[in-house]
Amino acid sequence: MTYDIVLGAMLFGTVQDERTSFEILDHFVEAGGTWIDTANCYAFWEDPSGFGGQSEELLGRWLARRPGVRDRIRISTKVGCEPTEAGRFPETAEGLSASVVKNGIEGSLRRLGVEYVDLYWAHMEDRRTPLAETVVAFDELVSAGTVGALGCSNYAIWQVERAREIARVNGMTGFTAVQQHVTYLRPRPGTRPTVAHRFGAVSDEVVDYLECDPEMSLWAYTPLLSGRYTRAEKPLPPEYEHPGTERRLAVLDEVAAETGTTRNHVVLSWLAGGSPAAVPIVGVSSVAQLREALDGVALVLTAEQRARLDAAT
């Protein structure tokens, strides 16, 4: 599966009001965008109730007011992270049992007001539930026609392969996409990005796995570090405070100057044209930010520029 960019709808309906969210969605479609990413738990940490669903509900209202748009877009949503008790996450996360997966897709379809979703994700691994139970539950959704393709997010890569092997051996539909945190900067060795789950950050092992299996695609969440590449009022997290960051930012600035663009443009282009290619999921709060993101994935770096960016350590 090949995609160029995905619009992240995580904060639509909570932090982002309906009018602004609709403007961003409309512009995305008008610009030729197709994929929109959400989850059943978005954004429980922003809503007074302590539970999610607001993003899917907003998307449902937008689709209802835009006849014909459903045929032009693809919807990606997730199950597994919604808390079962307000204020107690991750210890009360719903998990990935067969009943949770079944109820999860039914709830998502209802909130979205659609009959199917194009890509359904296991949001994070659940070791309380046998992996085979989760694999079977997801396969049943594909067989029923309510889900097109399957992906997993924030999984240890050995769990990804084990789940896919269960599916292969039993003639079931398996995962063909992973959604992890990927960006240009690298955290200090021995740390992990604060934006990622335990297994949420792409490692060399994940890269190697994806390069060896062209069937698998990579979706990159928080690729721009929530604006920290370009916004002085948002400093980088402590794990990026090391000499390697200074060297990579220096090369990033060189390439941005050469191309007449910004750090954000270069990061998105670097991700989209890398090996393996990563599909950036961009969460934006304005149409202007969306335009910048679209321009970023459209930017073509030269082989020399890409090599220079890769070599900065």
Side-chain angles (χ1 to χ4, degrees):
M1 299 187 303
T2 303
Y3 319 103
D4 295 320
I5 194 169
V6 178
L7 178 60
M10 182 170 68
L11 299 179
F12 290 178
T14 49
V15 174
Q16 296 302 325
D17 62 51
E18 186 158 309
R19 179 179 177 180
T20 302
S21 300
F22 278 27
E23 289 176 350
I24 292 169
L25 288 160
D26 289 343
H27 187 83
F28 182 68
V29 174
E30 290 166 4
T34 54
W35 279 98
I36 300 171
D37 182 70
T38 185
N40 69 330
C41 70
Y42 291 162
F44 70 82
W45 57 94
E46 295 290 350
D47 194 80
S49 70
F51 298 103
Q54 298 80 22
S55 174
E56 290 182 332
E57 289 172 349
L58 183 140
L59 289 172
R61 293 192 296 274
W62 175 69
L63 287 168
R65 298 174 194 176
R66 304 291 190 273
V69 166
R70 177 65 182 99
D71 296 333
R72 299 170 58 188
I73 65 163
R74 296 182 180 182
I75 298 174
S76 153
T77 193
K78 314 178 192 72
V79 64
C81 278
E82 172 73 345
T84 56
E85 295 182 32
R88 298 189 61 211
F89 180 87
E91 62 269 27
T92 70
E94 62 189 345
L96 292 167
S97 67
S99 60
V100 166
V101 172
K102 180 178 183 295
N103 292 334
I105 191 63
E106 290 175 354
S108 289
L109 295 177
R110 183 178 63 254
R111 286 185 290 271
L112 290 163
V114 299
E115 297 181 353
Y116 68 96
V117 297
D118 301 275
L119 180 51
Y120 201 44
W121 302 86
H123 205 154
M124 69 178 189
E125 60 178 24
D126 170 22
R127 299 194 183 179
R128 300 167 300 180
T129 300
L131 194 54
E133 179 180 337
T134 300
V135 172
V136 170
F138 272 81
D139 173 71
E140 289 176 349
L141 301 182
V142 177
S143 298
T146 53
V147 168
L150 303 173
C152 55
S153 182
N154 304 306
Y155 265 56
I157 204 65
W158 68 267
Q159 284 274 76
V160 176
E161 177 56 24
R162 182 171 291 181
R164 297 181 72 213
E165 180 63 17
I166 292 170
R168 278 192 295 263
V169 168
N170 292 281
M172 297 183 291
T173 302
F175 298 132
T176 54
V178 295
Q179 186 174 144
Q180 311 284 85
H181 169 60
V182 197
T183 189
Y184 178 62
L185 294 182
R186 298 171 180 172
R188 187 173 60 253
T191 67
R192 65 180 177 88
T194 54
V195 300
H197 291 250
R198 180 184 178 189
F199 298 109
V202 164
S203 64
D204 288 343
E205 184 176 18
V206 174
V207 170
D208 181 65
Y209 180 78
L210 296 173
E211 286 180 334
C212 292
D213 194 337
E215 181 186 16
M216 296 291 288
S217 61
L218 170 63
W219 288 33
Y221 70 74
T222 324
L224 299 178
L225 294 175
S226 302
R228 289 179 171 85
Y229 280 103
T230 57
R231 295 173 61 178
E233 77 275 15
K234 300 185 74 171
L236 290 168
E239 63 266 23
Y240 294 103
E241 294 176 359
H242 59 87
T245 292
E246 298 173 11
R247 290 192 285 270
R248 283 177 88 79
L249 287 177
V251 176
L252 197 61
D253 287 336
E254 288 176 8
V255 175
E258 292 165 7
T259 55
T261 60
T262 67
R263 287 178 176 178
N264 285 348
H265 286 99
V266 177
V267 170
L268 292 175
S269 178
W270 178 81
L271 286 169
S275 178
V279 186
I281 305 171
V282 294
V284 299
S285 57
S286 68
V287 169
Q289 289 180 0
L290 175 60
R291 290 187 183 122
E292 181 184 35
L294 294 171
D295 288 343
V297 294
L299 173 67
V300 178
L301 300 174
T302 67
E304 187 279 331
Q305 288 169 335
R306 184 169 294 281
R308 217 182 328 147
L309 288 163
D310 291 342
T313 59

